């Protein structure tokens, strides 16, 4: 029994790595455990599904109680893998699954989440940025951003004025290029 489950787990993690949704779903249906991780970077199957932007795999893993709040060895959530690859529908799925669950309290994880919120703002995904910030509740998000040198421009984008920010940055770039 143990060996059988181990083999299903191995097939499931390989399927997640290779973005093979059918093999992943088959392995899960046969008894693979949704929380299994690969060894070196501690990425879960949900991390891989998010990285690939595979909504069906994400849904199948979440249905089998995969933890959307699990951190890999870099202190990244599956959500952050989806953010970095621009998989907005998967981000929405994961944010919905994360609501009501506790956010990581590790200092490094909190800093990485602040970066993820900022990245969402930069990518003009203010609604998702607000949802993530509401979930992780950083004590002083804007103070952290200020320490990193982020300006009022980020605050303006955060407030939903991303179009104004994009235009202002474009005008600033044009002004600098005319001087140079």
């Amino acid at each position: 029994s143990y060996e059988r489950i181990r083999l299903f787990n191995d097939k499931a993690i390989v399927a997640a790595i290779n973005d093979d949704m059918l093999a992943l779903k088959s392995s899960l249906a046969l008894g693979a455990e949704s929380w299994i991780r690969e060894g070196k970077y501690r990425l879960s199957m949900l991390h891989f599904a998010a990285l690939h932007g595979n909504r069906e795999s994400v849904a199948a893993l979440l249905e089998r109680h995969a933890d959307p709040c699990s951190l890999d060895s870099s202190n990244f959530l599956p959500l952050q893998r989806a953010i970095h690859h621009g998989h907005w529908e998967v981000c929405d799925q994961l944010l919905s699954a994360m609501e009501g669950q506790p956010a990581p309290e590790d200092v490094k994880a909190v800093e990485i989440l602040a970066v993820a919120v900022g990245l969402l703002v930069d990518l003009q995904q203010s609604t998702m940025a607000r949802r993530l910030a509401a979930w992780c509740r950083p004590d002083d998000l804007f103070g952290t951003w200020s320490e990193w040198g982020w300006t009022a421009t980020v605050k303006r984008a955060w407030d939903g004025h991303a179009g104004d920010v994009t235009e202002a940055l474009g005008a600033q770039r044009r002004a600098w290029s005319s001087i140079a």
Side-chain angles (χ1 to χ4, degrees), residues 132-161:
L132 179 56
W135 175 74
C136 65
R137 295 180 221 57
D139 293 332
D140 185 15
L141 183 64
F142 293 110
T144 301
W145 287 353
S146 295
E147 287 175 25
W148 296 340
W150 293 9
T151 64
T153 305
V154 173
K155 173 78 166 91
R156 186 116 175 95
W158 170 263
D159 290 336
H161 305 287

Side-chain angles (χ1 to χ4, degrees), residues 12-30:
I13 194 71
V14 169
I17 290 168
N18 293 323
D19 195 23
D20 184 347
M21 187 210 39
L22 294 176
L24 175 63
K25 285 178 132 181
S26 173
S27 295
L28 290 169
L30 293 169

Side-chain angles (χ1 to χ4, degrees), residues 17-130:
I17 290 168
N18 293 323
D19 195 23
D20 184 347
M21 187 210 39
L22 294 176
L24 175 63
K25 285 178 132 181
S26 173
S27 295
L28 290 169
L30 293 169
E33 299 159 329
S34 63
W35 56 86
I36 296 301
R37 298 169 175 267
E38 62 80 34
K40 186 171 183 179
Y41 299 105
R42 307 287 303 143
L43 276 80
S44 68
M45 288 187 276
L46 193 55
H47 281 90
F48 285 110
L51 178 137
H52 291 301
N54 193 320
R55 293 187 326 255
E56 288 183 65
S57 292
V58 169
L61 288 162
L62 291 172
E63 284 173 11
R64 287 168 180 79
H65 309 290
D67 183 4
C69 302
S70 67
L71 299 172
D72 62 20
S73 65
S74 297
N75 286 321
F76 277 29
L77 295 163
L79 172 70
Q80 288 158 292
R81 299 292 176 182
I83 290 169
H84 286 283
H85 293 277
H87 301 305
W88 307 126
E89 291 177 357
V90 169
C91 289
D92 185 55
Q93 276 180 294
L94 292 167
L95 281 166
S96 294
M98 291 161 55
E99 291 170 353
Q101 294 196 29
E105 294 181 15
D106 176 80
V107 172
K108 180 81 171 153
V110 170
E111 287 178 358
I112 290 172
L113 284 168
V115 170
V117 172
L119 182 59
L120 284 168
V121 170
D122 289 346
L123 295 171
Q124 299 185 11
Q125 299 294 325
S126 297
T127 302
M128 280 190 217
R130 283 187 186 87

